């Protein structure tokens, strides 16, 4: 059926975090993102697409679970948050997760403190998926997990990786109760290429600008770093998602 004006207004309202939280949903754009979210387990409530660009068969099984609407190019441009509208978007319910801490700590635990950049978080989620990490943690006050930019950057991996948003104190309390060794990251520390953290362990990454806070530093077993090839002429820092990928690669293979 054609997308009504009221439904168009509803979809546009989902640009706002407040509305997404009230409705308990998030919005995704692009055929690959939508199909991958469905592939990895999410079920859409609604799909709207431009029939001049897409056909229902392009959505695989996605359209079998939900209401679907056709929209015009003008409507797509009004609703889309992308600089070049993809001509298709979907609304998904936000999942609710429980945490099995004993299962989580069987693998390296990755914690991100006050992460602000949605592109970084989306890329980290996708990287975690690649390395078989199914749970990551961010501290409260970080970027919204289901914001459109995070959803787009994660490229469907958001359905395969549980992102838990908790207060620092709650994370620390649970880790310490299970005897998890806490390591923090910084520009100076033990070389992660030759250091094997003591199992079970977690690695804490700090805010893009300010690094790891004292609440984690003061209880850390040690500090880990990625050693630059040229220590004297290195840049100030590595991008957070890049450094995370290096740590995940090394620690999931060791």
């Amino acid at each position: 059926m054609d997308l009504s004006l009221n439904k168009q207004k509803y979809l546009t309202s989902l640009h706002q975090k407040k509305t997404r939280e009230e409705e308990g949903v998030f919005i995704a754009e692009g055929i690959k993102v939508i199909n991958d979210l469905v592939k990895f387990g999410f079920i859409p409530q609604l799909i709207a697409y431009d029939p001049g660009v897409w056909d229902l068969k392009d959505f695989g099984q996605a359209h079998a679970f939900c209401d679907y609407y056709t929209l015009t190019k003008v409507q797509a441009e009004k609703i889309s948050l992308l600089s070049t509208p993809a001509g298709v978007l979907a609304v998904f319910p936000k999942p609710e997760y429980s945490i099995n801490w004993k299962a989580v700590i069987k693998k390296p635990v990755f914690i991100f403190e006050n992460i602000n950049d949605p592109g970084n978080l989306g890329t980290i989620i996708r990287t975690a998926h690649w390395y078989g990490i199914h749970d990551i943690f961010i501290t409260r006050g970080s970027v919204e997990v289901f914001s459109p930019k995070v959803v787009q950057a994660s490229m469907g991996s958001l359905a395969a990786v549980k992102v838990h948003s908790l207060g620092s104190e709650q994370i620390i309390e649970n880790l310490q109760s299970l005897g998890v060794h806490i390591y923090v990251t910084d520009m100076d520390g033990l070389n992660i290429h030759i250091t094997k953290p003591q199992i079970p362990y977690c690695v804490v990454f700090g805010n893009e600008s300010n690094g790891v806070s004292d609440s984690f530093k003061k209880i850390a077993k040690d500090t880990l770093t990625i050693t630059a090839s040229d220590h004297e002429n290195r840049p100030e820092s590595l991008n957070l998602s890049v450094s995370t990928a290096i740590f995940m690669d090394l620690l999931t293979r060791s």
Side-chain angles (χ1 to χ4, degrees):
M1 84 182 59
D2 294 340
L3 189 74
S4 67
L5 181 58
N6 283 340
K7 192 65 71 174
Q8 178 182 323
K9 289 179 178 178
Y10 167 69
L11 293 174
T12 304
S13 75
L14 296 180
H15 294 181
Q16 305 302 317
K17 178 181 178 181
K18 180 181 178 183
T19 307
R20 293 194 296 272
E21 290 180 342
E22 289 174 349
E23 296 289 327
V25 300
F26 69 94
I27 194 165
E29 295 190 59
I31 194 72
K32 177 167 175 51
V33 174
I34 293 169
N35 280 344
D36 279 355
L37 286 168
V38 173
K39 175 183 176 181
F40 299 127
F42 281 8
I43 299 175
Q45 292 180 348
L46 176 157
I47 290 176
Y49 69 100
D50 180 352
V53 180
W54 304 105
D55 188 273
L56 275 179
K57 68 177 185 294
D58 297 320
F59 304 116
Q61 294 298 312
H63 73 279
F65 306 115
C66 67
D67 297 329
Y68 53 91
Y69 301 86
T70 57
L71 47 72
T72 66
K73 182 178 180 181
V74 172
Q75 286 177 315
E77 290 173 348
K78 288 182 177 179
I79 297 169
S80 179
L81 284 168
L82 302 178
S83 56
T84 303
V88 57
L89 53 89
V91 177
F92 291 84
K94 289 183 181 180
E96 294 184 3
Y97 299 129
S98 59
I99 306 172
N100 183 340
W101 287 96
K102 290 184 179 179
V104 167
I105 65 171
K106 290 180 180 180
K107 291 185 177 184
V109 179
F110 293 87
I111 299 167
F112 302 89
E113 194 177 23
N114 300 323
I115 181 169
N116 291 326
D117 188 306
N120 274 343
L121 180 56
T123 302
I124 287 166
I125 292 167
R126 193 177 180 192
T127 305
H129 186 193
W130 181 264
Y131 286 108
I133 297 163
H134 303 301
D135 298 83
I136 64 172
F137 295 82
I138 62 174
T139 59
R140 292 231 170 91
S142 294
V143 65
E144 179 197 359
V145 176
F146 292 97
S147 73
K149 289 184 179 180
V150 174
V151 173
Q152 294 307 121
S154 69
M155 293 297 290
S157 291
L158 194 54
V161 178
K162 298 175 182 177
V163 184
H164 307 285
S165 178
L166 302 171
S168 299
E169 298 80 5
Q170 187 178 357
I171 294 173
I172 291 169
E173 180 181 345
N174 279 282
L175 293 175
Q176 289 185 324
S177 71
L178 292 168
V180 176
H181 303 284
I182 297 173
Y183 293 85
V184 298
T185 57
D186 205 343
M187 290 296 291
D188 296 296
L190 299 175
N191 183 352
I192 188 57
H193 288 88
I194 58 175
T195 301
K196 291 187 176 181
Q198 190 173 345
I199 297 172
Y201 66 90
C202 72
V203 182
V204 183
F205 295 81
N207 172 276
E208 290 96 339
S209 300
N210 302 317
V212 178
S213 71
D214 289 339
S215 61
F216 280 102
K217 281 184 176 180
K218 67 185 181 184
I219 59 170
K221 180 177 179 63
D222 230 320
T223 301
L224 303 174
T225 194
I226 300 166
T227 303
S229 295
D230 186 345
H231 188 79
E232 296 300 322
N233 295 301
R234 69 184 185 187
E236 182 182 355
S237 64
L238 281 174
N239 173 273
L240 176 60
S241 60
V242 172
S243 60
T244 298
I246 294 170
F247 268 87
M248 286 183 174
D249 184 72
L250 292 169
L251 295 178
T252 57
R253 295 177 189 277
S254 61

